[in-house]
Amino acid sequence: MKVGLFNAILAYVIWGLLPLYWKEFDSMPAGEILSHRMIWSFLFVAGLLSLQRRWKDFAGLLKNRKALLPLVASSLLISVNWLLFIWAVNNGHVVETSLGYYLTPLINVALAIFFLREKPSGAQWLAIALAGAGVVLVTIDYGSLPWVSLTLALSFGLYGLVKKRVKIDSSLGLMTETAIVVPAALVYWGYLGASGSATAWTLPLSSLALLLFAGAATALPLLLFAKAAAKLPLSMLGFIQYIGPTLTLILSVTVFQETVSQVTMISFTLIWAALIVYATATIREARAQSTPLKASGGTSA
């Protein structure tokens, strides 16, 4: 439990602080940053697989069409999420990224209703209604849909849905996802080189060295999260999940000096209330399910 808790907290602290990392490269186009993220992630996970001596497992996965096709979808979804997150951070939309990741758990509930035919409780419906009211308020305040927040939440929610359908070891899954998109990243590198528009190689040496760690910054929290999910109850993991967007929101105001209107703060309050309602309902449900097991003295496999 302690190891799982440490891994989960570390993963979400890294995710919450990542805007500080990507902001270091705000002079680069988001697409170019994404291509580096893909390539260095691929190399990082490839090195990890080499240490684990799991290349045979990876080769077997590539031959498994049933598992490979969903991973193509998940790689495209996470690429969209990464690209939009980088663009949003470097264009002054950090508050919207925080809102998007606050909405993600509730988007997951909606996806479970429509795709997994799960039946939410009355409290979970209330949570969805509160979050929906928060989105409506933000929409009215912006004068348009908060498309950054909604796209981040939907892309990551759908990514989680695909990963839930296909249960694959985290290292192998991430290796496959990066291998699928890395050819496009290399083609883009070739285009930037041919057109003379690459900016990464003009960065100061310290910034360029920092960019090389994009693979570790991407893969490490994903691997930590996978280990935490295997050891912690879902209800506890749900609470820890909000460390990330909370840190991002704090950074947006204190470091990036973004303004947050009163209406936006009200919408965040509604979403926080939705999360409390949803988390409380989840914990009660988990306790209700565990009580008969404890009473009978049984154990789970």
Side-chain angles (χ1 to χ4, degrees), residues 171-252:
S171 298
L172 293 176
L174 186 57
M175 181 64 190
T176 307
E177 288 168 351
T178 54
I180 288 169
V181 295
V182 81
L186 290 171
V187 169
Y188 187 61
W189 267 20
Y191 163 75
L192 291 175
S195 62
S197 54
T199 60
W201 315 118
T202 63
L203 292 173
L205 186 60
S206 58
S207 297
L208 181 58
L210 192 61
L211 184 60
L212 300 181
F213 284 96
T218 297
L220 185 59
L222 286 172
L223 297 173
L224 287 169
F225 174 78
K227 291 182 178 180
K231 295 180 179 294
L232 293 180
L234 185 59
S235 57
M236 182 182 293
L237 199 60
F239 274 120
I240 298 169
Q241 179 172 350
Y242 304 118
I243 291 174
T246 300
L247 286 174
T248 300
L249 179 61
I250 292 171
L251 287 176
S252 69

Side-chain angles (χ1 to χ4, degrees), residues 10 19 31 50 57 60 69 87 104 134 162 175-177 180 191 200 213 218 230 234-235 270 274-275 296:
L10 185 56
S50 296
D57 295 335
L69 289 178
W87 176 88
T104 298
V162 174
M175 181 64 190
T176 307
E177 288 168 351
I180 288 169
Y191 163 75
F213 284 96
T218 297
L234 185 59
S235 57
L270 286 170
L275 295 174
S296 63

Side-chain angles (χ1 to χ4, degrees), residues 9 26 51 69 100 123-124 153 167 193 196 204 211 220 222 253 262 274 277 287:
I9 291 173
D26 58 1
L51 289 174
L69 289 178
Q124 289 172 331
K167 296 182 179 180
L211 184 60
L220 185 59
L222 286 172
V253 177
Q262 289 185 338
V277 170
R287 286 177 177 173

Side-chain angles (χ1 to χ4, degrees), residues 62-75:
L62 292 180
K63 297 176 182 178
N64 185 349
R65 185 176 298 179
K66 186 178 180 180
L68 189 59
L69 289 178
L71 286 174
V72 172
S74 65
S75 67

Side-chain angles (χ1 to χ4, degrees), residues 274-291:
L275 295 174
I276 291 170
V277 170
Y278 177 70
T280 302
T282 302
I283 291 172
R284 286 178 177 176
E285 184 179 344
R287 286 177 177 173
Q289 291 176 350
S290 64
T291 299

Side-chain angles (χ1 to χ4, degrees), residues 89-113:
V89 168
N90 290 343
N91 286 273
H93 299 280
V94 179
V95 171
E96 289 183 61
T97 67
S98 176
L99 175 61
Y101 288 116
Y102 271 119
L103 285 173
T104 298
L106 301 168
I107 290 292
N108 288 340
V109 175
L111 291 173
I113 294 170

